[in-house]
């Protein structure tokens, strides 16, 4: 069976005034229908750029490498030449949910009009049908008084409500692939719990593939089936969520888990990962994590290592350099 | 001499609100009848969702919001400051003793000032130092305490990462040698590894400089880790207050329980479902009568007797205070 989404050898670079920046370095990911792939990492790790590459939403100064492939449902997005091809993907086969729902809705257009507009772009529906589907969708995501909300503006809704409306709009075209970029980060915990439960139900019901981007390992643990840990544009560890979080092997994954305050173990010290994430302008050569790695060797042999994932256990992929240094 | 550094007595803070210029002026009670005592040397945590009034309470204690009812007293070694009757001259004094660390280290630092000038500004404004040399000395001293590289003092904030900027903000807050610090969501904008670093730094500075913190946060796991005592706020009221271990091992109020169960567990096998609260925090313009939590409370009775309940904390165990209505329904 072919995969729903296949990313092969993706490099993304940005041309800026200060030089060429590597945002993504040789990332390969696959996602099947009905699965949730979590991407986790700190700011600057390239999580959002990965998602935006799938939708081709990166800015004009973006450079993709020639042998990269982003295959959605058999079509390589990077080989699209006309805007019409992209339109089928954006909002049709693939939908995206953003972190800040206030910024994602147009402030001066009613929520209902925005939902109807995008539905009619992608489906052969008339206005009335589109309206009915939209209101049905708003109901489905737990918005009370959906008909009234349909005629309101984004500012009239609370944060949690707006995020629900955003989800309703993203799902109304029945996409095969949903990209969720920090969808619960701006919400309070009780609202976050509501939205997570809602998303889990909907993912099951619609049987789509989901890429769920977050910096919160707790959210990943509760939502995702598989997880990819990213650092400075590279995937350093990848596998089933249970395996990665219970048996992390890469020093960065371990560092992230140790830095997290655990409410069930208040005596555990909080251990920060030493140093700062390097600027993308001076990305370390060799193993990208070597400047902060507790296992980095004195003689600096990590400088000349070529990064790449190897399978250390069935399904558990780990960066080559991480395999060696973990043994020390 | 009092063992407390701050006493808040029956404090309420209201804001005027007018929908448009024709409509009647309304009062919004952001903070309602709060009583807390903050012990010297403690790490006092204040948690709650957005709109619960935690920031307003913190600002009222610093004298940055007008107090509508009740009072706030700051106990210094020699004298007390009563913030309801404080004169502007005393306020200048008080500012040296009580300081604030902000949430967003990107917005809090002026991009046109060097790090040295940012940290030195409070000293100059408060006229604490007499010469440039003395100022420089103080700046270097506090900067090294906050683990800033002294060579960086000549640079501008844009050259620094979020964690380093937050260390600059902390240095600025501490340079006047205050005794009491309000840290308002000071780690919320940071990545987890940097968050751990800043929390450790705050703890270390507390020991070195004898500080007392009021730590405001929406993140319960952070609060559980660093605070000695925690107050949970909901819609302007404190609904539960206890030493943090007691609170997190044995929460009594249904809101605290729901908050705790809402934290997503990092263990993928622990799929215990959150106690899901219905709806969202009501608007402070139109708060529910009686128990403010009743509109979302899973235990609210059908006959609506919570409508007439009067809120107030009672001590259910030594040092463990819970709102009256929460005691019954729990």
């Amino acid at each position: 069976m072919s995969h729903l989404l296949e990313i092969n050898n993706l490099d993304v670079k940005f041309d800026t005034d200060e030089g060429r920046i590597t945002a993504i370095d040789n990332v390969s990911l696959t996602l099947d229908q009905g699965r949730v792939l979590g991407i986790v990492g700190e700011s600057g790790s390239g999580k959002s750029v990965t998602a935006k590459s799938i939708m081709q939403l990166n800015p004009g100064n973006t450079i993709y490498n020639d042998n990269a492939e982003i295959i959605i449902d058999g079509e390589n997005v990077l080989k699209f030449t006309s805007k019409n091809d992209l339109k089928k993907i954006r909002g049709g086969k693939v939908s995206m949910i953003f972190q800040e729902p206030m910024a994602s809705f147009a402030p001066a257009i009613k929520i209902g009009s925005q939902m109807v507009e995008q539905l009619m772009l992608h489906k052969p529906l008339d206005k009335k049908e589109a309206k009915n589907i939209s209101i049905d969708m708003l109901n489905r995501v737990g918005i009370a008084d959906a008909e009234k909300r349909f005629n309101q503006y984004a500012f009239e809704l609370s944060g949690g409500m707006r995020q629900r409306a955003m989800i309703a709009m993203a799902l109304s075209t029945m996409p095969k692939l949903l990209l969720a970029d920090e969808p619960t980060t701006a919400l309070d915990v009780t609202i976050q719990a509501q939205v997570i439960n809602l998303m889990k139900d909907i993912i099951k019901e619609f049987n789509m593939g989901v890429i769920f981007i977050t910096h919160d390992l707790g959210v990943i643990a509760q939502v995702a089936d598989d997880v990819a840990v990213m650092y400075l544009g590279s995937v350093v560890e990848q596998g089933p969520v249970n395996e990665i979080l219970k048996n992390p092997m890469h020093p960065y994954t371990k560092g992230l888990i140790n830095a997290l305050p655990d409410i069930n173990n208040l005596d555990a010290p909080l251990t920060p990962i030493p140093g700062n994430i390097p600027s993308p302008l001076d990305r370390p050569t060799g193993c990208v994590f070597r400047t902060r790695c507790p296992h980095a060797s004195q003689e600096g042999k990590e400088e000349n290592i070529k990064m790449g994932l190897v399978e250390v256990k069935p399904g558990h992929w780990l960066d080559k350099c991480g395999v060696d240094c973990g043994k020390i | 001499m009092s063992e407390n550094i701050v006493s808040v007595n029956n404090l309420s803070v209201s804001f005027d609100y007018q929908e448009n210029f024709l409509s009647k002026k309304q009062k919004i009670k952001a903070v309602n009848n709060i009583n807390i005592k903050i012990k010297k040397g403690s790490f006092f945590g204040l948690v709650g969702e957005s709109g619960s009034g935690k920031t307003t309470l913190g600002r009222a204690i610093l004298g940055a919001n007008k107090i509508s009812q009740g009072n706030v007293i700051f106990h210094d070694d020699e004298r007390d400051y009563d913030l309801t009757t404080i004169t502007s001259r005393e306020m200048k004094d008080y500012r040296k003793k009580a300081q604030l660390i902000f949430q967003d280290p990107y917005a809090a630092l002026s991009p046109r000032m060097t790090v040295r000038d940012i940290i030195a500004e409070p000293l100059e404004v408060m006229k604490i130092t007499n010469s440039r040399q003395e100022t420089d000395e103080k700046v270097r001293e506090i900067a090294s305490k906050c683990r800033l590289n002294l060579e960086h003092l000549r640079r501008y904030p844009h050259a620094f990462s979020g964690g380093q900027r937050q260390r600059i903000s902390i240095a600025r807050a501490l340079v006047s040698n205050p005794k009491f610090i309000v840290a308002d969501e000071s780690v919320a904008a940071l990545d987890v590894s940097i968050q751990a670093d800043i929390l450790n730094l705050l703890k270390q500075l507390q020991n070195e400089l004898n500080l007392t913190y009021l730590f405001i946060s929406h993140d319960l796991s952070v609060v559980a880790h660093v605070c000695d005592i925690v107050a949970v706020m909901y819609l302007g009221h404190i609904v539960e207050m206890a030493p943090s271990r007691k609170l997190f091992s044995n929460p009594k109020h249904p809101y605290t329980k729901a908050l705790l169960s809402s934290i997503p567990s990092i263990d993928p096998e622990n799929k215990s479902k959150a106690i899901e609260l219905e709806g969202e925090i009501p608007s402070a313009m139109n708060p529910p009568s009686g128990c403010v939590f009743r509109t979302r409370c899973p235990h609210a009775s059908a006959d609506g007797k919570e409508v007439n309940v009067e809120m107030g904390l009672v001590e259910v165990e030594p040092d463990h205070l819970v709102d009256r209505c929460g005691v019954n329904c729990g």
Side-chain angles (χ1 to χ4, degrees):
Chain A
M1 197 188 98
S2 68
H3 301 292
L4 172 63
L5 169 73
E6 212 178 313
I7 299 178
N8 292 320
N9 313 318
L10 177 69
D11 285 353
V12 179
K13 293 190 168 68
F14 296 122
D15 256 339
T16 69
D17 294 343
E18 288 157 271
R20 191 167 282 190
I21 289 174
T22 302
I24 302 283
D25 184 36
N26 198 18
V27 164
S28 299
L29 297 167
T30 55
L31 177 70
D32 290 325
Q33 215 166 350
R35 301 284 286 180
V36 180
L37 171 67
I39 301 183
V40 68
E42 294 177 283
S43 23
S45 60
K47 324 183 280 288
S48 292
V49 176
T50 308
K52 283 183 182 162
S53 303
I54 297 168
M55 286 281 247
Q56 292 288 290
L57 288 173
N58 284 320
N61 60 352
T62 314
I63 300 157
Y64 298 96
N65 56 327
D66 290 333
N67 62 336
E69 291 178 312
I70 299 179
I71 301 170
I72 301 170
D73 220 13
E75 286 182 283
N76 188 349
V77 178
L78 293 175
K79 292 283 179 288
F80 282 169
T81 43
S82 77
K83 279 207 160 156
N84 280 332
D85 288 341
L86 270 177
K87 272 188 188 158
K88 277 190 290 181
I89 296 294
R90 292 183 184 152
K93 278 184 186 165
V94 190
S95 279
M96 191 155 177
I97 303 172
F98 298 92
Q99 169 171 358
E100 197 11 274
M102 191 65 207
S104 323
F105 279 112
I109 304 172
K110 286 174 183 164
I111 285 178
S113 316
Q114 297 185 52
M115 293 185 74
V116 166
E117 183 191 1
Q118 58 104 27
L119 248 177
M120 287 172 65
L121 265 176
H122 293 291
K123 302 260 152 143
L125 298 167
D126 63 33
K127 227 173 177 173
K128 207 172 161 207
E129 288 168 324
K131 183 179 175 182
N132 288 341
I133 292 178
S134 301
I135 290 178
D136 181 46
M137 221 44 232
L138 287 173
N139 265 323
R140 195 88 71 89
V141 297
I143 291 182
D145 249 344
E147 239 158 289
K148 188 177 136 205
R149 300 294 179 197
F150 184 84
N151 287 317
Q152 283 185 324
Y153 297 94
F155 72 88
E156 294 177 275
L157 272 57
S158 66
M161 200 78 95
R162 252 181 247 139
Q163 199 58 288
R164 284 168 192 267
M166 189 76 220
I167 293 172
M169 179 154 123
L171 296 179
S172 60
T173 54
M174 306 276 175
K176 290 185 166 175
L177 174 63
L178 179 69
L179 309 174
D181 190 357
E182 304 262 11
T184 61
T185 306
L187 306 175
D188 279 316
V189 280
T190 58
I191 311 296
Q192 169 172 295
Q194 291 173 1
V195 171
I196 285 178
N197 283 342
L198 168 71
M199 288 193 70
K200 279 206 260 189
D201 292 345
I202 282 174
I203 291 164
K204 223 186 259 165
E205 185 184 334
F206 288 65
N207 193 33
M208 12 175 217
V210 180
I211 291 193
F212 199 106
I213 296 171
T214 175
H215 67 282
D216 189 332
L217 283 167
V219 174
I220 287 280
Q222 295 303 313
V223 179
D225 303 310
D226 302 292
V227 60
V229 183
M230 285 189 81
Y231 182 76
L232 219 59
S234 298
V235 175
V236 294
E237 192 163 10
Q238 192 183 339
V241 71
N242 213 355
E243 166 70 14
I244 300 292
L245 292 184
K246 291 231 164 135
N247 188 15
M249 291 190 188
H250 197 277
Y252 180 62
T253 317
K254 286 183 192 168
L256 274 184
I257 292 173
N258 287 336
L260 204 67
D262 181 2
I263 198 135
N264 297 315
N265 185 4
L266 295 182
D267 293 318
L270 299 176
T271 326
I273 301 170
N276 291 304
I277 194 161
S279 149
L281 280 169
D282 54 357
R283 198 166 185 274
T285 54
C287 170
V288 280
F289 189 58
R290 70 178 163 82
T291 54
R292 298 172 76 188
C293 183
H295 304 296
S297 60
Q298 290 287 322
E299 70 265 27
K301 65 174 159 51
E302 290 84 3
E303 280 177 45
N304 302 314
I305 281 173
K306 196 169 179 326
M307 291 190 75
L309 294 173
V310 286
E311 195 167 18
V312 286
K313 269 190 209 173
H316 189 148
W317 294 77
L318 182 63
D319 181 68
K320 257 180 245 145
C321 184
V323 177
D324 291 332
C325 71
K327 283 178 191 152
I328 301 164
Chain B
M1 206 177 86
S2 163
E3 60 162 352
N4 298 321
I5 190 158
V6 172
S7 318
V8 176
N9 305 308
N10 307 320
L11 175 75
S12 296
V13 178
S14 323
F15 296 107
D16 285 332
Y17 174 80
Q18 200 173 11
E19 181 125 31
N20 59 52
F21 75 102
L22 290 171
S23 57
K24 237 174 92 183
K25 263 195 190 151
Q26 282 175 289
K27 288 253 185 227
I28 298 177
K29 270 201 173 173
V31 162
N32 216 327
N33 199 15
I34 300 283
N35 286 291
I36 50 176
K37 300 217 174 336
I38 302 177
K39 276 209 184 89
K40 271 192 187 128
S42 65
F43 214 122
F44 192 102
L46 203 53
V47 288
E49 294 177 280
S50 28
S52 60
K54 45 194 199 310
T55 296
T56 308
L57 176 56
R59 289 174 58 100
I61 293 175
L62 288 177
N65 276 342
K66 245 179 110 183
I67 292 168
S68 315
Q69 260 170 50
N71 65 19
V72 174
I73 295 168
F74 181 82
H75 308 282
D76 198 9
D77 290 342
E78 311 93 53
R79 50 159 305 182
D80 287 355
Y81 295 83
D82 183 340
L83 291 196
T84 38
T85 57
I86 198 163
T87 62
S88 59
R89 181 187 293 243
E90 287 175 320
M91 199 61 182
K92 280 189 181 149
D93 242 8
Y94 179 55
R95 290 259 182 271
K96 293 176 196 164
K97 313 260 160 83
Q99 279 286 336
L100 177 66
I101 304 171
F102 294 92
Q103 167 171 3
D104 185 354
Y106 288 85
L109 306 178
S110 162
R112 288 164 185 259
M113 289 167 81
T114 62
V115 172
R116 184 256 167 213
D117 290 344
I118 287 170
I119 301 177
E121 197 180 21
L123 293 174
E124 283 153 9
V125 173
M126 296 173 184
K127 301 195 178 65
I128 293 173
T129 49
N130 297 317
S131 66
R132 194 178 162 91
Q133 203 189 347
E134 200 187 340
T135 310
D136 275 338
E137 235 168 69
K138 285 226 154 151
V139 169
R140 296 174 81 83
E141 187 191 341
I142 197 71
S144 61
K145 277 213 171 88
C146 295
R147 284 189 264 129
L148 285 165
N149 190 334
L150 294 184
E151 280 162 27
H152 291 170
L153 289 176
R154 269 175 291 148
R155 296 199 195 166
Y156 289 87
H158 72 85
F160 296 94
S161 66
Q164 285 168 315
R165 283 178 197 226
Q166 199 55 293
R167 272 187 245 144
I168 298 169
S169 316
I170 293 172
R172 178 177 56 181
L174 296 182
V175 74
S176 63
N177 207 5
K179 294 179 171 158
F180 177 64
I181 299 285
V182 175
D184 191 354
E185 297 277 14
S186 300
V187 296
L190 306 174
D191 277 317
V192 279
S193 74
I194 297 157
Q195 167 179 297
D197 183 46
I198 295 292
L199 291 173
N200 289 342
L201 176 67
L202 287 175
K203 273 273 182 200
Q204 186 195 337
L205 289 168
Q206 180 181 35
N207 292 334
E208 279 174 28
L209 304 172
N210 263 331
L211 297 170
T212 308
Y213 289 109
L214 176 64
F215 187 83
I216 300 173
S217 177
H218 69 282
D219 189 330
L220 284 134
S221 16
V222 168
V223 167
H225 258 268
V226 296
C227 297
D228 319 317
I229 180 162
V230 178
V232 182
M233 283 190 81
Y234 185 81
L235 214 59
H237 291 264
I238 289 179
V239 294
E240 186 162 4
M241 178 156 64
S244 55
R245 266 159 211 268
K246 253 189 196 168
L247 187 87
F248 290 105
S249 59
N250 187 15
K252 305 262 189 210
H253 196 278
Y255 180 61
T256 317
K257 286 182 190 166
L259 269 185
L260 278 173
S261 76
S262 297
I263 304 173
S265 163
I266 188 175
D267 180 356
E269 279 168 7
N270 180 5
K271 300 265 187 204
S272 59
K273 255 206 164 175
I275 303 172
E276 212 177 287
L277 292 180
E278 298 251 323
E280 306 187 13
I281 191 164
S283 154
M285 259 183 278
N286 197 5
S289 60
C291 172
V292 284
F293 186 56
R294 69 178 162 82
T295 51
R296 297 174 77 193
C297 184
H299 304 293
S301 57
D303 50 21
K305 66 173 158 48
E306 290 85 3
V307 178
N308 303 313
V309 166
E310 202 191 323
M311 291 196 75
L313 293 172
V314 287
E315 197 166 14
V316 287
E317 275 169 35
D319 297 330
H320 195 152
L321 289 93
V322 184
D323 181 69
R324 235 178 263 137
C325 185
V327 177
N328 293 333
C329 70

